[in-house]
């Protein structure tokens, strides 16, 4: 076998290994997602791109405040939005509602420092969150179809936890 053929075969193996490794990482560890709407403003804006850890909830449970990516519930199925990005506000065993514009968990007001100062939450609930489910809401409460509309979502529908914004470069950083 000629030296050129050996070099070509060697690089072919390296390239194939890199592709396989990238596919494994995308499938099991980290994926990138795009923000298509204003439902998470001001924290996340239209066009932002996020890195999502797919491993987070295989080794731990969702917590209030986590920004998660999950499969779009059937009643919202839209060919352009297979996944949604929202914030977990309550987990299984809790009761969630809003009174006088304030989010309430188990009857206690929640400090939502991630919300814009002009945002308030329209009154609803209380809604009990079953074990194995989470209640999610957008940060832009006026422009978000979330668990107030489609109910709590099963934890099994969560793809992962968003942990960083990588685009645009001027807004690069953790969540």
């Amino acid at each position: 076998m000629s030296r050129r053929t050996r070099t070509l075969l060697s690089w072919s193996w390296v390239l194939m290994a890199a592709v396989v490794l990238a596919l494994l990482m995308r499938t099991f560890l980290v994926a990138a997602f795009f923000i298509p709407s204003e439902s998470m403003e001001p924290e996340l804006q239209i066009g932002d791109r996020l890195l999502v850890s797919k491993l987070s909830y295989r080794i731990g449970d969702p917590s209030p405040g986590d920004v998660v990516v999950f499969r779009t519930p059937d009643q919202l199925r839209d060919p352009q939005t297979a996944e949604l990005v929202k914030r977990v506000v309550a987990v299984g065993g809790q009761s969630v509602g809003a009174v006088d514009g304030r989010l309430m968990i188990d009857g206690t007001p929640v400090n939502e420092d991630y919300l814009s100062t002009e945002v308030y939450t329209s009154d609803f609930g209380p809604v009990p969150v079953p074990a194995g489910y989470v209640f999610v809401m957008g940060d832009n409460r006026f422009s978000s179809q979330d668990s107030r509309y489609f109910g709590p979502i099963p934890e099994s529908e969560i793809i992962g936890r968003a942990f960083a914004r990588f685009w645009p470069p001027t807004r690069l950083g953790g969540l």
Side-chain angles (χ1 to χ4, degrees):
M1 194 180 316
S2 74
R3 181 177 176 168
R4 182 176 175 174
T5 303
R6 282 193 311 266
T7 302
L8 186 60
L9 280 173
S10 176
W11 278 108
S12 297
W13 280 107
V14 169
L15 182 59
M16 188 168 43
V19 168
V20 168
L21 184 60
L23 288 173
L24 287 171
M25 285 182 62
R26 170 122 169 68
T27 302
F28 298 109
L29 297 178
V30 177
F33 287 90
F34 172 78
I35 300 297
S37 74
E38 68 277 356
S39 72
M40 288 297 291
E41 288 181 346
E43 178 81 18
L44 301 173
Q45 297 178 2
I46 295 172
D48 283 358
R49 288 182 172 42
L50 308 176
L51 290 176
V52 174
S53 168
K54 292 183 168 188
L55 194 57
S56 290
Y57 301 131
R58 292 183 186 177
I59 59 175
D61 295 321
S63 299
D66 289 354
V67 175
V68 296
V69 175
F70 58 96
R71 289 174 198 75
T72 302
D74 289 337
Q75 60 266 49
L76 293 181
R77 282 286 178 219
D78 177 346
Q80 295 179 347
T81 55
E83 297 93 15
L84 295 176
V85 178
K86 305 288 181 201
R87 187 177 302 275
V88 174
V89 296
V91 296
Q94 294 181 316
S95 178
V96 60
V99 177
D100 296 330
R102 298 267 332 250
L103 184 69
M104 308 286 277
I105 302 296
D106 296 330
T108 303
V110 176
N111 179 20
E112 297 184 281
D113 55 0
Y114 44 80
L115 293 182
S116 173
T117 54
E118 59 270 357
V119 170
Y120 71 91
T121 305
S122 299
D123 292 356
F124 73 95
V127 176
V129 181
Y133 283 71
V134 295
F135 197 95
V136 295
M137 295 176 74
D139 290 355
N140 184 354
R141 303 284 161 84
F142 305 116
S143 183
S144 178
Q145 286 191 319
D146 49 39
S147 287
R148 293 172 293 172
Y149 176 76
F150 50 74
I153 60 162
E155 289 179 9
S156 61
E157 293 296 307
I158 297 175
I159 295 167
R161 181 180 61 82
F163 66 92
R165 177 181 21 249
F166 70 91
W167 191 263
T170 57
R171 293 177 30 84
L172 184 73
L175 299 180

